[in-house]
Amino acid sequence: MSLTEQLFSNKDSESELAIAEYYKDNKEKLLKYPNMVPTFDPVTKIVYCVYKPRNLDDLLQTMKRLPKKEVDLNLMRYDFWEQRDYAYQQLGLKIAKREVKKYRNSTEIIGPQKANMSELANFFSFAYNTDANVFVHLLNKETGENYFYPINSLKDKIKLSSILHSHIFCRNVDLMYSLSTYKTMIGATDENVFSIPLIQVDVDYRKIPKYKTKTPMQVWQSILETEVGNTIPYPSAIECGHQLRLLYKLNDLYVNQSSKASKNIARRISKVFAERLSKYGAEFQPITSHGRIASSINSKDGSIVQIELFGHEYEIEIIKEKWLDPLPDWYSEWKSKPKKKGKVIYLQNTLTLNTTRLRDFFRIVDYYNGQLDGRRFLCFMVRSHALLAGYSLEEARDLMLELNDHFKFPLRPNLIEQDTRNVVRKQYSYKNETILERLCITPEIEENMNLETIISITEKKRRDKVKKSRRYREEKFGNPNISKRELIEAEKKEIKKLLAEGYKKKEICKLLGIQPKTLQRRIKGLKNEGFLQ
């Protein structure tokens, strides 16, 4: 018997014994708080309490000042949706007529559902059929929290259950997953994309008056009868909820770092299919877009997201040959034509940026001679940027401990290593303004520190002004270090010489390239110094 089978066979007896033991040890607390129900977690082997109202009146006591949206989510979460009218009456809320029609006449199931982890894991295994060590971006759109997880974690139903039942995603509202995989956990950006296994066409049919009152399945049946097989291929899966989404599985569409061809073909497929379904309100979606996790709740109308998997997979060449229009005749000639070399712009790469930031952190500590607040924050940032710069886990930890030794009062190594261990899973790169604010570095101190990358907008403007001034003095006077006082004195001597030669004021302004008011000030200064009458 496998470990997984043993785990599920002993689940009931193990959970009952653990909950009974918890009841025995915490009997008084459970009697005091009857709405707290002990729950056993089979992954962590821990019993914890979950709030579960005994009736609707108990739940209403906790929702007296909540907005309507939060009230609806709680009613769906605790299976009191059918008593919504009574809850609104007790809380003094009103329901719009269009909402009454939408919720009472809808044939879709409304209410929280527990996802079938086996089906969801099978869907992710189908979507991300690669063995590469890459990541998928999961997003809780309701709270804005987002995390990256290895694709193997989503293919394992036990690990997937642990992720979706964590405190980040346990509310089961507006849960999203990325359609592309990413090379690192830095961000869900276009530059970080590793592969594009899924392409989506978002059918926003509700904005079309003809289909406004239809359900997603009715719209899908209409598309299936008229468009599928004629203008678009059969989708690999469809997602139904508030709207309809078509998903296409593409094999081996990896992104080459030196080429944009894969990204361009993915965008082209989505754009062409969306144009062919434009009468249904279809829209083009970028490659970094997200889909909704099956059985999660869409907060727009409380609908439950459902995914129907068909299992079709497509090769790029077949899609291009059968379903995309041929490229125009001029394209191949334009593609082979040598491009003119434009202006070369040197961008600072990630390695240089993070390495330079590490030097700045050490420079900050040395400037204060090790006496400054924010020691934990600095250690956290050094360890994070060291990993971003390509250091190994041990090298990043050693560099952080080296920075800790620069403090006048170093932190305990085991304590600071424990406090910063989170960066091993996910690295962080804060904005310059945030770092300067956390370390209480003012513009005056910043000017004296002369940091390379951690600079504020004010300091950047000051440095640009200094560079511009030095460049002007180098071009005009041949000496970038000449002071302003020396420039004024040289200007006065030239004005005195030109006046002695009989030049008029207008001619002097034109020769020296100065304004009449500036000339007037210089003449006044010469008179005060006794050089002019």
Side-chain angles (χ1 to χ4, degrees), residues 469-483 486-487:
S469 176
R470 288 175 59 85
R471 188 164 56 248
Y472 169 77
R473 292 172 186 180
E474 172 71 25
E475 293 173 356
K476 184 150 185 139
F477 305 102
N479 183 9
N481 298 318
I482 189 171
S483 66
E486 291 174 338
L487 289 175

Side-chain angles (χ1 to χ4, degrees), residues 217-424:
M217 291 307 297
Q218 289 173 338
V219 176
W220 162 240
Q221 287 299 324
S222 178
I223 294 175
L224 183 61
E225 293 171 2
T226 59
E227 304 296 336
V228 173
N230 298 322
T231 60
I232 60 171
Y234 209 104
S236 306
I238 60 169
E239 177 193 306
C240 300
H242 178 65
Q243 303 285 3
L244 176 66
R245 182 175 286 124
L246 309 183
L247 300 173
Y248 290 91
K249 175 72 175 72
L250 301 179
N251 290 327
D252 302 328
L253 187 55
Y254 299 102
V255 176
N256 190 341
Q257 189 174 2
S258 60
S259 174
K260 297 181 180 179
S262 299
K263 297 178 183 178
N264 290 339
I265 189 62
R267 295 189 187 101
R268 185 181 169 207
I269 292 171
S270 180
K271 189 173 182 180
V272 169
F273 289 178
E275 288 175 353
R276 293 174 182 174
L277 297 177
S278 58
K279 63 181 180 181
Y280 296 94
E283 296 177 346
F284 157 76
Q285 296 296 319
I287 60 175
T288 54
S289 56
H290 292 68
R292 291 184 179 270
I293 292 178
S295 298
S296 63
I297 300 170
N298 190 326
S299 62
K300 292 180 180 178
D301 62 352
S303 58
I304 305 298
V305 177
Q306 299 175 0
I307 294 179
E308 187 172 351
L309 183 62
F310 303 120
H312 301 290
E313 299 183 38
Y314 295 97
E315 301 291 339
I316 286 295
E317 295 302 324
I318 294 176
I319 291 280
K320 289 166 66 176
E321 183 180 345
K322 287 189 65 176
W323 300 103
L324 296 184
D325 297 329
L327 293 170
D329 298 334
W330 54 263
Y331 179 80
S332 56
E333 183 181 350
W334 173 82
K335 190 72 176 175
S336 60
K337 187 177 179 180
K339 304 294 186 297
K340 293 182 179 179
K341 290 186 177 181
K343 182 180 178 182
V344 179
I345 301 176
Y346 297 97
L347 298 175
Q348 193 173 32
N349 59 40
T350 307
L351 174 63
T352 307
L353 174 65
N354 289 295
T355 306
T356 311
R357 272 206 166 188
L358 289 172
R359 290 201 300 267
D360 281 348
F361 288 129
F362 278 89
R363 193 175 286 127
I364 289 171
V365 176
D366 294 338
Y367 179 83
Y368 288 103
N369 295 322
Q371 288 183 292
L372 76 162
D373 295 329
R375 293 174 297 171
R376 278 186 175 83
F377 177 71
L378 279 168
C379 290
F380 179 86
M381 294 306 298
V382 165
R383 191 172 184 181
S384 179
H385 281 280
L387 291 172
L388 289 172
Y391 286 62
S392 66
L393 295 176
E394 293 75 15
E395 291 172 340
R397 177 176 56 83
D398 294 341
L399 188 64
M400 176 194 67
L401 296 176
E402 182 183 342
L403 178 79
N404 188 42
D405 293 337
H406 280 63
F407 296 132
K408 189 170 183 179
F409 303 103
L411 300 165
R412 285 190 300 169
N414 61 337
L415 177 64
I416 194 61
E417 185 176 351
Q418 183 180 1
D419 288 348
T420 60
R421 67 184 184 277
N422 191 42
V423 301
V424 175

Side-chain angles (χ1 to χ4, degrees), residues 60-330:
L60 292 177
Q61 294 297 321
T62 65
M63 301 194 302
K64 286 186 176 180
R65 295 186 179 181
L66 291 180
K68 188 192 292 187
K69 183 179 178 181
E70 290 291 331
V71 171
D72 288 347
L73 292 175
N74 283 321
L75 290 174
M76 289 186 289
R77 182 180 183 183
Y78 297 111
D79 294 326
F80 291 113
W81 185 257
E82 294 180 357
Q83 304 177 51
R84 183 179 183 227
D85 293 339
Y86 171 75
Y88 271 37
Q89 183 181 358
Q90 295 297 316
L91 296 174
L93 299 174
K94 294 182 180 180
I95 182 169
K97 291 183 179 180
R98 63 177 182 272
E99 292 182 357
V100 174
K101 183 178 179 181
K102 177 170 61 177
Y103 288 111
R104 291 185 179 174
N105 298 338
S106 176
T107 58
E108 296 181 12
I109 298 173
I110 298 178
Q113 294 181 344
K114 290 184 179 179
N116 186 327
M117 291 301 161
S118 298
E119 293 182 2
L120 195 53
N122 289 337
F123 171 75
F124 285 130
S125 299
F126 168 76
Y128 309 117
N129 59 345
T130 177
D131 296 326
N133 186 21
V134 291
F135 305 91
V136 176
H137 185 237
L138 295 188
L139 167 67
N140 185 338
K141 197 175 179 181
E142 182 193 25
T143 62
E145 292 187 86
N146 63 95
Y147 284 86
F148 285 87
Y149 292 94
I151 55 174
N152 292 329
S153 300
L154 304 183
K155 297 177 183 179
D156 187 322
K157 64 181 180 182
I158 296 178
K159 292 181 180 179
L160 179 60
S161 176
S162 178
I163 291 170
L164 295 182
H165 287 88
S166 65
H167 71 282
I168 305 167
F169 305 110
C170 64
R171 279 178 57 82
N172 200 35
V173 179
D174 290 338
L175 304 187
M176 319 282 285
Y177 67 95
S178 64
L179 301 177
S180 301
T181 61
Y182 295 94
K183 294 176 281 189
T184 66
M185 297 188 290
I186 296 176
T189 59
D190 197 81
E191 296 77 14
N192 196 25
V193 172
F194 172 78
S195 66
I196 310 170
L198 291 174
I199 291 179
Q200 71 165 337
V201 180
D202 196 2
V203 183
D204 190 7
Y205 65 88
R206 293 182 187 272
K207 66 183 182 181
I208 307 298
K210 181 180 177 181
Y211 302 102
K212 191 173 183 180
T213 57
K214 302 287 186 182
T215 64
M217 291 307 297
Q218 289 173 338
V219 176
W220 162 240
Q221 287 299 324
S222 178
I223 294 175
L224 183 61
E225 293 171 2
T226 59
E227 304 296 336
V228 173
N230 298 322
T231 60
I232 60 171
Y234 209 104
S236 306
I238 60 169
E239 177 193 306
C240 300
H242 178 65
Q243 303 285 3
L244 176 66
R245 182 175 286 124
L246 309 183
L247 300 173
Y248 290 91
K249 175 72 175 72
L250 301 179
N251 290 327
D252 302 328
L253 187 55
Y254 299 102
V255 176
N256 190 341
Q257 189 174 2
S258 60
S259 174
K260 297 181 180 179
S262 299
K263 297 178 183 178
N264 290 339
I265 189 62
R267 295 189 187 101
R268 185 181 169 207
I269 292 171
S270 180
K271 189 173 182 180
V272 169
F273 289 178
E275 288 175 353
R276 293 174 182 174
L277 297 177
S278 58
K279 63 181 180 181
Y280 296 94
E283 296 177 346
F284 157 76
Q285 296 296 319
I287 60 175
T288 54
S289 56
H290 292 68
R292 291 184 179 270
I293 292 178
S295 298
S296 63
I297 300 170
N298 190 326
S299 62
K300 292 180 180 178
D301 62 352
S303 58
I304 305 298
V305 177
Q306 299 175 0
I307 294 179
E308 187 172 351
L309 183 62
F310 303 120
H312 301 290
E313 299 183 38
Y314 295 97
E315 301 291 339
I316 286 295
E317 295 302 324
I318 294 176
I319 291 280
K320 289 166 66 176
E321 183 180 345
K322 287 189 65 176
W323 300 103
L324 296 184
D325 297 329
L327 293 170
D329 298 334
W330 54 263

Side-chain angles (χ1 to χ4, degrees), residues 449-491:
M449 282 185 177
N450 197 26
L451 302 176
E452 294 182 67
T453 60
I454 307 174
I455 57 174
S456 63
I457 296 175
T458 305
E459 175 64 10
K460 187 176 184 305
K461 288 181 178 178
R462 186 195 68 81
R463 292 186 184 184
D464 291 343
K465 187 177 179 180
V466 171
K467 286 180 182 178
K468 186 177 179 181
S469 176
R470 288 175 59 85
R471 188 164 56 248
Y472 169 77
R473 292 172 186 180
E474 172 71 25
E475 293 173 356
K476 184 150 185 139
F477 305 102
N479 183 9
N481 298 318
I482 189 171
S483 66
K484 192 172 182 180
R485 172 54 55 187
E486 291 174 338
L487 289 175
I488 293 174
E489 292 301 324
E491 206 171 60

